[in-house]
Amino acid sequence: MKRLFLLTAIISSFYCNGLAQPTDKEAPAGFDVARADIPHGRLDSVQYASKTVGTTRKALIYTPPGFTKKKKYPVLYLLHGIGGDEKEWLKGGTPQVILDNLYAQNKLEPMIVVMPNGRAIKDDRAVGNIFDKDKVEAFATFEKDLLNDLIPYVEKTYPALKDREHRAIAGLSMGGGQSLNFGLGNLNKFAWVGGFSSAPNTKTPQELVPDPEAAKKQLELLWISCGDADGLISFSKRTHDYLYQHDVPHVYYVEPGGHDFKVWKNGLYMFSQFLFKPVDVASLNKYTVLGTPASSNIRSAKYPQILPDNRVVFRTKAPGAQKVQVDLGKKYDMVKDTAGVWTVTTDSISRGFHYYSLLIDGLPVADPASESFYGMGRMASGIEIPDRDEAFYALRDVPHGDIRIKRYYSKPLNAWREMYVYAPPGYDQNASQKYPVLYLLHGGGEDERGWSTQGRTDLILDNLIAAGKAKPMLIVMMDGNIPSSGGLAGFNENVLKTFENELKGAVIPFVESNFRVDADAKSRALAGLSMGGLQTLYAGIRNTNMFSNLGVFSSGWFANNPKLSDPQYAFMKDNASTINSNLKHLWISQGGKEDIAHQNGQIMLKKFDDMGIKYEYSEYAGGHSWPVWRHDLYMFAPLLFQ
């Protein structure tokens, strides 16, 4: 019992001494108001010899309440902006008041705070043209001054702990960029790094964190914060996006505000409470006030917002509505405020692209703040949730092809139709070159726009071609919707036959008459997702003399519809030898067990095995969704026309 009591006392002391992470998500009112009834720290102005600059330089140093030279302290280096000096934080941010109040509440680990002049030049005053080339370069020079002159001075003059685990750096604006540049560039010196509204001097994420695995091991905390109305937020977001993709733990904190001390004081309030204490990495994505507007929002729309843990905040104004919901597969009830604005925060949403609708008094409508897409058999809103694996369809500085919209008259259907055609980089310049063609089919409830918009086909191929991983090719995205008289999901033998006629009698002839393509089987491939996968299985398997490669994504013949499926298996069994010899690749993929086509697909593959049909199989977790199908194209395209 005594040992248990002692352990409880130690744990209680641990948390009472402020070693727990902050419970607040934002500074409360009065956090920056001086109080006379609490102990105060001390501010001193010091001078140190700088060999880097060749002069004596100034800094302000804050020591905490109860400071004593008998104890050693960790150190935070706190940097100013491009128009300031060592006194900018003192004048605009009153850090001594913020820290004194936090100490009075037992929320801080006692630390020394050093506020230097980050302009490492002999005349380091913030006068004249502060954007002068020499003065701007002096902010980069400060790295040497900091490491070689200031830190040694502080650690010689004050009872400072000298290991990296007890050294932090943070700053605002220009100083935020310096903090990220110097802190992440010297992880042997700093384990705690914070950038508040980091300015354009911030290095690119690839330069800041060239080795994400090493950063994970060395960083105790990386903090990135900015106001949502700050014109510099893109520099913080690009760093966050890179860190997210590489799974480097960090705080990405967005709050209402611009490029001002309201934001920076709150940054100091929040960041300082983490320092020199155990960090619960799993909770870091909870520390933010606002989310980031979704990339799928219309221009300048602030909502929907995606929080760092991939919860989504939806907001819409409908003052006359009685009930509003967001339908993301799961329905979320929204709450109305006095201005008629409805808001809800969802659970964490899985990666990639999702259709959604607003249900206003039961009527499903597209969100006016979001881009709309043809899916679910109608126009619907769509939202992109960040995906750590999204680099393969990211917009990069590589040669880009383009997507062309072509209208053609279909004799088999006696109607005007439309197709989208991806032409690879250099298509128009290389007038004598002919290209192979992939005919790429969409799913049910979608149309020829699906692969180009929801699927990011052009970016996937641009990146693959630039990396030398795929041959330059045309990709034809036709409308696979065929007039139907019914049948399971519109799929009976007659409908599939009509699709085959449309493909062979209208689409392929139009493409081969209007584009420079090689018109032979080895230069043609056919692939599709879900409904398009069934169309590929039908038209592709029956015409292996026309296609050398077939791709079937998240699909399979219906196990519960033998009237449709049995004739297809009978055809394959009778023609197994021809199918195997004609096809270079029969590539089948699914989105894991959560894919609604998984069971049908597995039954179909067992039948393939029994018939001796050769195929390749791939699985990528994600269900029946566009993240899976984008990845399928990324994996399938490099196999083609090699």
Side-chain angles (χ1 to χ4, degrees):
M1 288 296 293
K2 289 183 178 179
R3 293 179 66 184
L4 178 61
F5 176 80
L6 179 60
L7 178 61
T8 303
I10 291 172
I11 294 173
S12 175
S13 174
F14 181 85
Y15 284 100
C16 288
N17 287 334
L19 294 179
Q21 289 181 190
T23 54
D24 297 330
K25 302 295 173 66
E26 190 174 15
F31 80 103
D32 55 350
V33 176
R35 294 172 53 187
D37 60 336
I38 61 172
H40 297 282
R42 174 171 172 164
L43 271 172
D44 290 300
S45 180
V46 301
Q47 296 187 2
Y48 65 97
S50 172
K51 293 181 181 179
T52 300
V53 180
T55 188
T56 299
R57 310 198 68 226
K58 294 180 180 179
L60 289 181
I61 296 186
Y62 167 89
T63 48
F67 174 79
T68 172
K69 291 190 175 181
K70 296 180 181 179
K71 175 183 175 181
K72 290 189 178 293
Y73 296 83
V75 183
L76 164 62
Y77 293 85
L78 190 60
L79 311 183
H80 60 81
I82 194 169
D85 56 21
E86 72 277 4
K87 294 182 180 179
E88 183 177 24
W89 269 102
L90 179 65
K91 295 175 181 177
T94 58
Q96 75 283 11
V97 174
I98 295 171
L99 298 174
D100 285 348
N101 291 343
L102 283 169
Y103 281 122
Q105 299 173 65
N106 289 322
K107 291 186 174 181
L108 287 189
E109 176 72 1
M111 69 186 82
I112 297 168
V113 180
V114 180
M115 291 167 276
N117 187 322
R119 192 181 293 101
I121 193 171
K122 287 189 176 180
D123 184 0
D124 59 9
R125 296 174 299 161
V127 295
N129 181 11
I130 59 174
F131 296 99
D132 181 81
K133 181 174 180 289
D134 291 342
K135 292 183 179 180
V136 171
E137 289 177 350
F139 281 92
T141 305
F142 179 66
E143 181 176 7
K144 293 182 180 178
D145 180 69
L146 172 69
L147 298 177
N148 299 332
D149 302 310
L150 179 57
I151 290 177
Y153 166 81
V154 170
E155 294 180 351
K156 180 179 179 181
T157 309
Y158 289 83
L161 293 163
K162 299 180 181 180
D163 56 284
R164 59 178 296 278
E165 289 80 9
H166 292 93
R167 201 180 287 128
I169 186 169
L172 66 89
S173 192
M174 193 73 162
Q178 287 178 306
S179 297
L180 296 181
N181 293 345
F182 305 164
L184 295 173
N186 296 277
L187 289 174
N188 60 324
K189 300 288 186 182
F190 300 97
W192 311 80
V193 180
F196 313 151
S197 305
S198 301
N201 63 314
T202 308
K203 293 178 180 177
T204 65
Q206 294 78 7
E207 293 175 289
L208 288 174
V209 188
D211 186 346
E213 291 303 317
K216 291 180 195 180
K217 295 176 182 177
Q218 293 178 283
L219 278 168
E220 295 290 340
L221 177 69
L222 174 55
W223 171 282
I224 300 169
S225 61
C226 200
D228 69 329
D230 192 329
L232 300 181
I233 194 171
S234 61
F235 298 100
S236 295
K237 186 176 184 301
R238 74 179 185 186
T239 304
H240 158 68
D241 289 344
Y242 175 86
L243 296 169
Y244 176 82
Q245 289 171 11
H246 291 84
D247 202 22
V248 178
H250 65 289
V251 173
Y252 181 50
Y253 185 100
V254 182
E255 61 182 291
H259 200 72
D260 54 47
F261 264 106
K262 173 184 174 294
V263 169
W264 304 328
K265 288 195 291 185
N266 189 53
L268 176 61
Y269 174 87
M270 292 296 300
F271 178 68
S272 62
Q273 292 181 68
F274 283 91
L275 296 179
F276 315 121
K277 306 172 186 177
V279 174
D280 176 15
V281 171
S283 70
L284 294 183
N285 58 16
K286 303 292 186 184
Y287 289 96
T288 188
V289 179
L290 299 176
T292 301
S295 62
S296 42
N297 289 4
I298 63 170
R299 189 182 302 274
S300 302
K302 289 190 174 182
Y303 291 87
Q305 289 185 354
I306 301 172
L307 297 167
D309 60 355
N310 287 349
R311 290 177 299 143
V312 182
V313 183
F314 288 95
R315 182 171 294 182
T316 194
K317 189 167 186 177
Q322 300 303 306
K323 182 177 183 179
V324 180
Q325 296 174 300
V326 172
D327 186 354
L328 259 168
K330 175 181 178 180
K331 293 182 176 66
Y332 295 90
D333 292 329
M334 303 183 79
V335 177
K336 183 169 68 170
D337 65 16
T338 55
V341 175
W342 297 78
T343 305
V344 70
T345 301
T346 70
D347 306 320
S348 291
I349 305 301
S350 61
R351 64 185 182 183
F353 180 87
H354 297 265
Y355 296 114
Y356 77 94
S357 299
L358 298 178
L359 300 178
I360 299 182
D361 292 335
L363 175 66
V365 297
D367 185 348
S370 171
E371 293 287 353
S372 295
F373 305 84
Y374 182 72
M376 305 162 57
R378 59 178 174 82
M379 295 306 295
S381 299
I383 187 167
E384 281 279 350
I385 304 298
D387 185 349
R388 287 193 172 93
D389 295 334
E390 68 186 17
F392 68 89
Y393 59 84
L395 180 60
R396 295 180 180 174
D397 186 15
V398 299
H400 292 283
D402 64 307
I403 291 180
R404 308 173 185 199
I405 302 173
K406 293 293 183 180
R407 293 179 176 87
Y408 66 98
Y409 188 78
S410 167
K411 290 183 179 179
L413 296 179
N414 194 27
W416 282 96
R417 305 275 283 175
E418 184 177 85
M419 65 174 68
Y420 280 43
V421 180
Y422 166 80
Y427 177 82
D428 291 324
Q429 289 72 36
N430 303 327
S432 62
Q433 182 176 349
K434 292 187 176 182
Y435 294 83
V437 186
L438 166 61
Y439 294 86
L440 189 59
L441 310 176
H442 60 80
E446 297 166 344
D447 63 13
E448 69 276 11
R449 293 168 285 184
W451 269 108
S452 65
T453 52
Q454 294 95 301
R456 306 290 181 88
T457 292
D458 57 332
L459 295 179
I460 294 170
L461 266 293
D462 288 343
N463 293 336
L464 284 172
I465 292 169
K469 294 181 178 179
K471 287 284 187 70
M473 68 184 78
L474 269 72
I475 299 184
V476 175
M477 295 159 274
M478 61 177 283
D479 184 359
N481 295 300
I482 301 298
S484 169
S485 59
L488 181 59
F491 274 84
N492 54 42
E493 189 84 21
N494 289 334
V495 171
L496 288 168
K497 185 64 179 176
T498 303
F499 169 81
E500 180 187 11
N501 292 339
E502 167 70 0
L503 176 65
K504 294 169 59 178
V507 173
I508 293 176
F510 177 85
V511 170
E512 295 182 351
S513 297
N514 289 273
F515 291 89
R516 298 191 317 277
V517 300
D518 287 313
D520 53 43
K522 72 177 188 303
S523 301
R524 292 194 203 102
L526 179 66
L529 68 90
S530 193
M531 178 184 81
L534 292 174
Q535 292 168 328
T536 299
L537 284 167
Y538 186 87
I541 291 294
R542 290 175 180 273
N543 295 277
T544 56
N545 61 319
M546 295 183 65
F547 301 99
S548 58
N549 297 277
L550 301 179
V552 180
F553 311 157
S554 292
S555 197
W557 288 118
F558 301 123
N560 62 352
N561 187 359
K563 182 178 178 181
L564 174 64
S565 302
D566 285 355
Q568 317 313 321
Y569 293 130
F571 177 88
M572 296 183 75
K573 183 177 181 180
D574 292 342
N575 295 275
S577 177
T578 301
I579 293 168
N580 287 337
S581 61
N582 284 351
L583 289 181
K584 189 171 183 180
H585 296 284
L586 173 54
W587 197 80
I588 315 290
S589 66
Q590 291 183 321
K593 291 184 179 180
E594 64 270 33
D595 192 327
I596 59 174
H598 190 266
Q599 184 176 2
N600 281 336
Q602 296 302 310
I603 292 171
M604 180 182 73
L605 294 182
K606 177 64 169 61
K607 290 184 178 293
F608 284 6
D609 292 336
D610 293 341
M611 291 185 288
I613 297 292
K614 296 178 182 178
Y615 63 89
E616 299 153 72
Y617 181 69
S618 176
E619 232 178 65
Y620 182 74
H624 206 71
S625 65
W626 274 108
V628 172
W629 304 325
R630 290 171 179 172
H631 190 264
D632 287 341
L633 178 59
Y634 172 70
M635 297 297 290
F636 183 61
L639 303 176
L640 303 179
F641 317 123
Q642 300 293 340

